[in-house]
Structure formats: structure tokens, C-alpha cells
Amino acid sequence: MGESKKRKRRGGKKGEEEQQAIPSPSAKRTKLKEPSTFLEKMRARLSGGHFRMINEKLYTCTGKEALDYFKEEPSLFDMYHAGYKSQMSNWPEQPVNVIIKWLKKQSPSFVIADFGCGEALIAKTLKNKVFSLDLVSSDPNVIACDMANTPLASSSVNVAVFCLSLMGTNYKSYIEESNRVLKPGGWLLIAEVKSRFDPNTGGADPEKFSNAISELGFKSVKKDFSNKMFILFYFTKKEKQISKRKEIEWPTLKPCLYKRR
Ligand code: SAH
């Protein structure tokens, strides 16, 4: 949204909000419940604003910049995840749950790498060995790193998951990293927001996205478009890696920005 539009929407309201935010003692006496409801609304509005700001930052910078951003102010990470949760509660189906359902049908001996794990739901739900990776470690089991450079050994995992986490402008380096850590024949699952692939609004062509990953050395097994809010891509890593490949054309994934409600 343009800055001028934003200002227009907020225009004239600020004074009003500030006035109401401090209720007079008489208002307190007569309507005890109102100020808290109002404060709750204010809090929700402010945290919504913070969430949108952090979200926009993450979609428009590199993973390295995002890592530095959170290193400087780790509390922004919790703020981001509170907003993320609230946004996701509007979705009819959570992509991470669809992925968990699929993982439950696979071998329990599969080692999983959850790239951009957030609250590490996969590790918390499954008995498999799971490497949970994110920019900030909100839990002792989460490895804090930029997922373009993970501490995982090469050819060490059976499944690499990216669930709504291809946020950085350098997303191709995350896929390359997953290629490095995956065993030959291993699975790569990517769930991404549908609107990022809507060519009518500047999104990437899902075929081009899938082709770029295939050129890296993967086989596209399935694309699931059945969910309203996200697309789920399933790939397997080819047994034989391409030693010399041509320059891959990675389509730009449109940032997923949320509107003010
Ligand atoms: N996969 C989780 C969380 C999705 S939110 C789920 O589905 O619930 C996206 C997450 O990706 C955020 O926690 C964000 O911090 C993380 N992320 C984005 N870029 C990253 C990077 N370069 N390295 C590590 N994590 C990253």
C-alpha cells in the first residue's frame, strides 16, 4: 500500500485515539468494561501494525539481512509470530498440518529438516529425528541460523520441508542448501501462499518455479492446488546429480503482504 494512502486512512484519527486511550476517572467509574475492550483493540491494532512491518521486511530482504535484523532485536521475532498466528487462524487449513499428515504416512526413520520452522510444530508432533531451523531459536531444539547456511551435514536428511518460509529475496539459496543436505532420493516439500503464484497480480508461474527446482536436480512428483490458500509442491532429489548445469532462471516470488484490517 502506498504511503499516502496509509496516511489518508489514519488521517485525523490519531488525536481521537489518544484522547480515548486515557479514560476520565468518571468514565472508569461508570463503564468499567469499556476501557479494557478499547485497550485490547488498541493493542491488537498496534501489534497488527508491527507484524505487517516485520513481515514486509522479511519478504523484501535477504536471509542474511533478516538474521542480522532479529539478532539486533530478538523480541521482534515473538511479535512476528503472534501476528502470524493470528493471520493463519483465518485459513481453513494449515499447510503445516497437511505436511504432518503426509509425514506420518512415511517411514518413522526418516530424518527431517524443517527449514523456517517457526514454532517447530513438526518436531513437536512427530517422533522422527527433526532438525528445526529458524532465524531465532525460540526453543532449545531450534537451530538458529540463516537457512542458506545450515550446520547440517551433506546428504544427511530424507525430507526437507519449507512451509511458508521461502521469504527472502535469495530463496534460491535455501533450495540449494536443501539440495546439499538431502540424501539422493530424498523428498523436498514446499508449501507456499497461492497469491505468490498468481500471474494476474504479478506472481510467479508455478510451472517456472517447479522447472527451476527440477533443473537443480529434482523430479517434480506432485503439485497440490486443492487448498484455498496455499500450493504444495512435492519433489524428490534425483539419484544422480547434474555435474555441470546451465544457468537456472529462478522466477521472482511475489512478497506476501497483508492489508490492514
Ligand atoms: N514453517 C512454520 C513457520 C512459517 S513462518 C509454519 O508453517 O508454521 C516463516 C518462518 O520462516 C519464520 O519463522 C521465519 O523466521 C523463517 N525464515 C524466513 N527466512 C529464514 C531464513 N533465511 N533462515 C531461517 N528461517 C527463516
Side-chain angles (χ1 to χ4, degrees):
M1 194 193 291
E3 220 10 77
S4 63
K5 224 175 175 182
K6 270 190 224 163
R7 247 181 269 128
K8 232 186 241 168
R9 277 228 221 164
R10 290 183 199 133
K13 264 193 124 187
K14 200 173 167 250
E16 225 177 273
E17 285 170 354
E18 275 171 3
Q19 267 176 16
Q20 289 184 38
I22 311 161
S24 69
S26 61
K28 250 189 198 166
R29 252 180 275 121
T30 49
K31 285 182 180 177
L32 265 177
K33 271 200 165 166
E34 217 175 63
S36 79
T37 316
F38 180 76
L39 282 178
E40 273 162 24
K41 272 190 202 155
M42 280 288 284
R43 258 184 226 119
R45 186 175 289 181
L46 283 173
S47 67
H50 284 138
F51 164 71
R52 282 188 298 276
M53 195 189 77
I54 305 163
N55 184 62
E56 181 165 345
K57 166 80 183 162
L58 295 178
Y59 275 113
T60 52
C61 74
T62 63
K64 159 96 179 53
E65 284 165 341
L67 187 69
D68 292 343
Y69 179 67
F70 282 133
K71 257 189 198 157
E72 213 166 280
E73 197 49 69
S75 64
L76 294 179
F77 189 76
D78 295 336
M79 224 178 249
Y80 174 77
H81 274 283
Y84 174 81
K85 250 190 182 167
S86 140
Q87 284 290 340
M88 294 305 286
S89 65
N90 301 314
W91 287 28
E93 178 84 89
Q94 306 292 311
V96 70
N97 289 338
V98 178
I99 291 174
I100 288 172
K101 235 184 249 169
W102 182 88
L103 286 166
K104 278 185 175 165
K105 290 188 209 141
Q106 314 304 314
S107 163
S109 69
F110 271 6
V111 178
I112 303 162
D114 185 5
F115 286 80
C117 62
E119 295 186 341
L121 214 60
I122 296 179
K124 284 177 188 158
T125 314
L126 299 174
K127 290 201 178 88
N128 300 56
K129 167 79 192 150
V130 183
F131 293 106
S132 303
L133 311 152
D134 209 303
L135 293 163
V136 173
S137 174
S138 52
D139 168 316
N141 297 315
V142 174
I143 304 167
C145 64
D146 168 17
M147 60 192 177
N149 293 295
T150 72
L152 307 187
S154 297
S155 304
S156 63
V157 310
N158 302 91
V159 190
V161 173
F162 290 91
C163 187
L164 307 187
S165 57
L166 294 181
M167 304 179 87
T169 50
N170 60 318
Y171 80 86
K172 78 165 191 134
S173 41
Y174 309 146
I175 313 262
E176 283 167 351
E177 178 67 351
S178 74
N179 188 31
R180 181 186 72 77
V181 304
L182 270 171
K183 291 180 183 175
W187 286 91
L188 167 63
L189 266 58
I190 302 175
E192 263 309 327
V193 183
K194 231 176 203 172
S195 64
R196 306 190 77 190
F197 296 97
D198 180 1
N200 297 323
T201 56
D205 176 348
E207 276 311 311
K208 278 195 183 149
F209 175 71
S210 170
N211 288 345
I213 294 173
S214 302
E215 274 175 40
L216 189 62
F218 288 89
K219 178 175 174 270
S220 170
V221 178
K222 189 171 119 183
K223 291 184 198 75
D224 178 0
F225 290 87
S226 68
N227 289 286
K228 186 169 173 235
M229 303 300 280
F230 60 92
I231 305 178
L232 191 42
F233 300 85
Y234 297 79
F235 299 91
T236 49
K237 179 173 165 172
K238 288 187 180 150
E239 296 285 341
K240 267 200 182 149
Q241 286 297 287
I242 309 152
S243 51
K244 206 167 188 258
R245 51 174 180 259
K246 58 174 185 170
E247 192 66 36
I248 298 173
E249 251 188 66
W250 294 91
T252 306
L253 295 185
K254 196 177 71 163
C256 173
L257 306 179
Y258 297 93
K259 288 191 197 83
R260 190 173 169 213
R261 280 165 188 272

